[in-house]
Amino acid sequence: MAIINKKEQEREELHRAIWAIADDLRGAVDGWDFKHYVLGAMFYRYISENLINYINDGEHAAGNTSFDYAKLTDSEAEEARKGLVEEKGFFILPSELFCNVCAKAGRGENWQLPNGTEQLLNEKLEEVFNHIEDSAKGSESENDFAGLFDDFDVNSNKLGSTVIKRNERLAKLLCGIADMNLGSVKDHEIDAFGDAYEYLMTMYASKAGKSGGEFFTPADVSVLLTRLGTVGKTKINKVYDPACGSGSLLLKVNTVLGKDAVQNGFFGQEINITTYNLCRINMFLHDIDFDKFDIECEDTLISPQHWDDEPFELIVSNPPYSISWDGDDNPLLINDPRFSPAGVLAPKSKADMAFIMHSLAWLAPNGTAAIVCFPGIMYRGGAEQKIRKYLVDNNFVDCVIQLPENLFFGTPIATCIMIMKRGKSDNKVLFIDASKQCVKITNNNKLLEEHIDTIVKAYTNRNDINHLCKLIDHSEIKEQKYNLSVNTYVEPEDTREKIDIAKLNADIKEIVAREQSLRDKIDEIIAEIDI
């Protein structure tokens, strides 16, 4: 218990430190753009320490116990550049490591250039970031590092109206990140870098309104989706998210199954360039090596980037709700092997079912896909009904779960989860009403561990439980015209207070008797007054 309390205390201290930095920075940076600076600085510190530890551990194991890469000259370190890029995916000169740049910035010193001029902090950081990205060019890691620091604009007026003010704020930012108790990058148990990332993104999402939910899935929902998708498994080949946002869903597999449970890596696609950069940073901060993830920046529905990959054993996703897409305006899509089996395309104004069909196409024969859905796709008619018919008739739908309302940032709607499988053992669909499995915290509802356990247990056992879940035959779903709404099949519990008629009559009788007694006393008083 003491260890747990100590970890929680360290986590709270870390959160307070992040909040203090962000609170100071956002005084100048509008629109919560400060997250790019805080995350960028955290990422810079992380990869610097990651590289230092990797090199020092190797030297210390070889008997050179006094070796410290951070203290080498740049010319001495250059000899190891090629090998380090092959092994780690990037290279940083000693003089450009976070610890060394931060130390000089903290002392208010500038850098002397060969031509005798001074280089200011913002210029030095821009140079360092360019060097880190350039170090990966021409290697297997090039795509993983390209543009990672694009949103860390060291020359932005948002940091200050003058160069002096901008550099003062940048120095304060670096020192603040340096003072954070993030521990060793090798300490996977605490995962302070990953925890700090998640806290900052949660903080941002909660303040960003509707847009906050577009890139970040709350941790409790992420855990639920992962547990549902990995029932009976201790490891999987790969995990994939076709609308991966900042990668929070992908990385929850390590939380649920443990480190190294994903054998062949993390795969995802994200259309927004800024969110795509956040996702790649998130991978590194969670200690995922460059050769263990493949995140692409394209429109998943129009230009999928993982055609040639082996199908995925786990797909988890919270795609954007009811967005527009090309649909039947694009004549190529109806023949696309992802969508053609259903014989119809998702409506142009509602791409939800297109993400469902895409996920099914990418799913391995022994795999599970757990997708958060807008509730309307479960009952609307037209093309969506035809796609539901295809999914049910071909026995791909394993379970539909009604979630509580107000779980996600920026939207109060009660969403659903559709779980799909290719290798089902029966021809039935389980419906679970989890709409009451939550607790209200501040402005949002939250799934506690006990709620997640209840939902996962119901999904695993597949037994009928009054007011919670029911296993429905294909024939009954067909009779309901392929309506997949949970409330069609699971009767909600009547929480209204039951009235005891006998007790009610007795209470009324007593009230009437008391009323008559009071009237008699009033009559006596009036009679005495008249006398």
Side-chain angles (χ1 to χ4, degrees):
M1 183 64 69
I3 294 175
I4 294 175
N5 291 339
K6 182 180 179 182
K7 287 182 180 179
E8 288 303 317
Q9 184 179 0
E10 290 177 352
R11 181 173 283 110
E12 289 178 5
E13 290 175 0
L14 176 61
H15 291 177
R16 284 195 294 270
I18 295 171
W19 179 265
I21 294 171
D23 198 44
D24 176 72
L25 192 58
R26 67 178 175 168
V29 181
D30 295 330
W32 286 74
D33 287 338
F34 70 82
K35 70 181 185 298
H36 300 304
Y37 294 100
V38 179
L39 286 172
M42 279 176 52
F43 174 61
Y44 176 31
R45 174 180 165 179
Y46 172 82
I47 60 173
S48 293
E49 294 181 3
N50 182 284
L51 188 67
I52 292 170
N53 284 347
Y54 179 77
I55 298 171
N56 287 354
D57 286 350
E59 291 291 332
H60 295 169
N64 191 3
T65 56
S66 62
F67 181 88
D68 185 355
Y69 179 73
K71 295 180 179 179
L72 292 186
T73 65
D74 287 353
S75 58
E76 290 173 326
E78 275 290 354
E79 298 177 9
R81 176 186 289 269
K82 183 178 179 181
L84 286 171
V85 171
E86 291 176 355
E87 296 164 13
K88 298 297 294 180
F90 67 97
F91 178 76
I92 306 177
L93 290 167
S95 68
E96 297 184 342
L97 291 166
F98 176 88
C99 59
N100 290 332
V101 172
C102 181
K104 202 157 188 173
R107 296 192 297 266
E109 298 176 6
N110 295 325
W111 285 259
Q112 296 295 323
L113 296 176
N115 61 7
T117 61
E118 287 193 336
Q119 187 180 42
L120 303 179
L121 176 58
N122 63 322
E123 297 170 326
K124 182 62 178 180
L125 285 175
E126 185 173 37
E127 180 181 69
V128 170
F129 296 160
N130 287 334
H131 286 172
I132 294 173
E133 292 182 13
D134 289 346
S135 72
K137 286 184 177 178
S139 72
E140 292 183 13
S141 62
E142 180 173 354
N143 289 338
D144 296 322
F145 281 86
L148 272 181
F149 292 99
D150 281 357
D151 293 306
F152 196 117
D153 187 355
V154 296
N155 300 306
S156 173
N157 288 332
K158 293 178 179 180
L159 287 172
S161 57
T162 66
V163 172
I164 293 176
K165 289 181 179 179
R166 289 197 284 273
N167 281 323
E168 287 176 351
R169 187 161 271 114
L170 285 170
K172 193 172 183 179
L173 169 64
L174 292 182
C175 292
I177 297 296
D179 290 339
M180 282 186 186
N181 183 20
L182 293 171
S184 169
V185 297
K186 298 180 291 184
D187 192 343
H188 303 309
E189 185 178 359
I190 297 176
D191 191 22
F193 279 93
D195 181 74
Y197 176 97
E198 188 165 286
Y199 173 73
L200 184 61
M201 297 305 285
T202 302
M203 183 172 66
Y204 170 73
S206 66
K207 299 292 183 181
K210 184 178 179 181
S211 65
E214 293 178 359
F215 62 86
F216 185 75
T217 301
D220 52 341
V221 180
S222 299
V223 169
L224 174 60
L225 286 173
T226 303
R227 286 190 59 186
L228 291 167
T230 56
V231 168
K233 296 180 179 180
T234 58
K235 57 186 177 182
I236 57 172
N237 71 336
K238 299 183 299 183
V239 58
Y240 171 68
D241 185 346
C244 62
S246 61
S248 55
L249 260 173
L250 287 170
L251 289 162
K252 270 295 175 281
V253 184
N254 279 348
T255 303
V256 173
L257 295 184
K259 181 71 176 173
D260 300 324
V262 182
Q263 296 175 307
N264 298 321
F266 302 78
F267 295 73
Q269 194 162 334
E270 170 58 39
I271 193 171
N272 182 284
I273 183 68
T274 296
T275 311
Y276 161 68
N277 288 337
L278 290 175
C279 184
R280 291 183 295 157
I281 288 175
N282 198 7
M283 291 290 150
F284 285 112
L285 290 179
H286 281 82
D287 201 41
I288 307 299
D289 291 333
F290 76 93
D291 57 346
K292 284 293 186 181
F293 70 86
D294 181 4
I295 308 299
E296 301 291 343
C297 186
E298 290 283 354
D299 185 331
T300 298
L301 300 181
I302 305 302
S303 182
Q305 295 297 298
H306 298 95
W307 275 111
D308 298 327
D309 285 301
E310 176 189 1
F312 300 96
E313 194 172 344
L314 175 62
I315 297 177
V316 285
S317 191
N318 177 22
Y321 309 142
S322 301
I323 62 168
S324 298
W325 76 307
D326 287 2
D328 55 19
D329 280 349
N330 186 336
L332 299 177
L333 291 177
I334 191 58
N335 294 316
D336 189 307
R338 295 172 296 161
F339 310 125
S340 59
V344 65
L345 294 172
K348 287 184 291 186
S349 61
K350 301 176 183 69
D352 309 71
M353 278 297 189
F355 281 105
I356 293 290
M357 291 296 294
H358 169 85
S359 298
L360 179 63
W362 257 237
L363 188 61
N366 66 333
T368 301
I371 314 294
V372 178
C373 304
F374 184 80
I377 72 167
M378 300 298 176
Y379 59 80
R380 290 190 297 232
E384 290 176 318
Q385 183 184 37
K386 292 178 180 177
I387 295 173
R388 291 197 304 272
K389 179 179 186 302
Y390 164 75
L391 295 173
V392 173
D393 285 348
N394 287 276
N395 202 27
F396 293 132
V397 182
D398 190 46
C399 181
V400 179
I401 302 171
Q402 177 65 57
L403 292 176
E405 62 184 14
N406 211 27
L407 280 181
F408 295 86
F409 299 111
T411 176
I413 64 170
T415 56
C416 307
I417 295 174
M418 179 184 286
I419 301 176
M420 296 186 293
K421 287 187 173 182
R422 286 189 170 276
K424 287 178 60 182
S425 58
D426 61 29
N427 195 25
K428 300 179 180 181
V429 178
L430 180 68
F431 292 87
I432 300 176
D433 183 0
S435 58
K436 305 302 180 185
Q437 299 294 321
C438 65
V439 62
K440 185 173 179 60
I441 297 180
T442 62
N443 294 325
N444 283 80
N445 287 324
K446 181 179 177 61
L447 302 172
L448 300 181
E449 186 176 354
E450 63 197 68
H451 302 130
I452 295 174
D453 287 342
T454 297
I455 297 168
V456 174
K457 184 177 180 180
Y459 172 66
T460 304
N461 293 339
R462 296 180 77 79
N463 295 324
D464 292 353
I465 301 176
N466 287 339
H467 315 303
L468 178 65
C469 56
K470 193 166 185 179
L471 196 59
I472 303 296
D473 287 321
H474 169 268
S475 58
E476 187 174 344
I477 298 174
K478 184 177 180 180
E479 288 175 7
Q480 294 291 340
K481 298 181 179 178
Y482 299 94
N483 186 326
L484 295 180
S485 294
V486 172
N487 59 16
T488 302
Y489 306 99
V490 181
E491 182 182 357
E493 184 176 6
D494 187 354
T495 57
R496 294 175 299 178
E497 184 179 355
K498 290 182 170 54
I499 299 174
D500 187 333
I501 299 300
K503 185 177 183 303
L504 179 62
N505 285 333
D507 290 343
I508 293 173
K509 187 175 181 180
E510 183 182 345
I511 292 170
V512 171
R514 275 193 292 162
E515 181 183 20
Q516 186 58 50
S517 175
L518 288 172
R519 287 185 179 279
D520 291 343
K521 288 181 180 179
I522 291 171
D523 289 342
E524 290 176 6
I525 294 170
I526 292 174
E528 291 177 1
I529 293 173
D530 288 343
I531 292 172

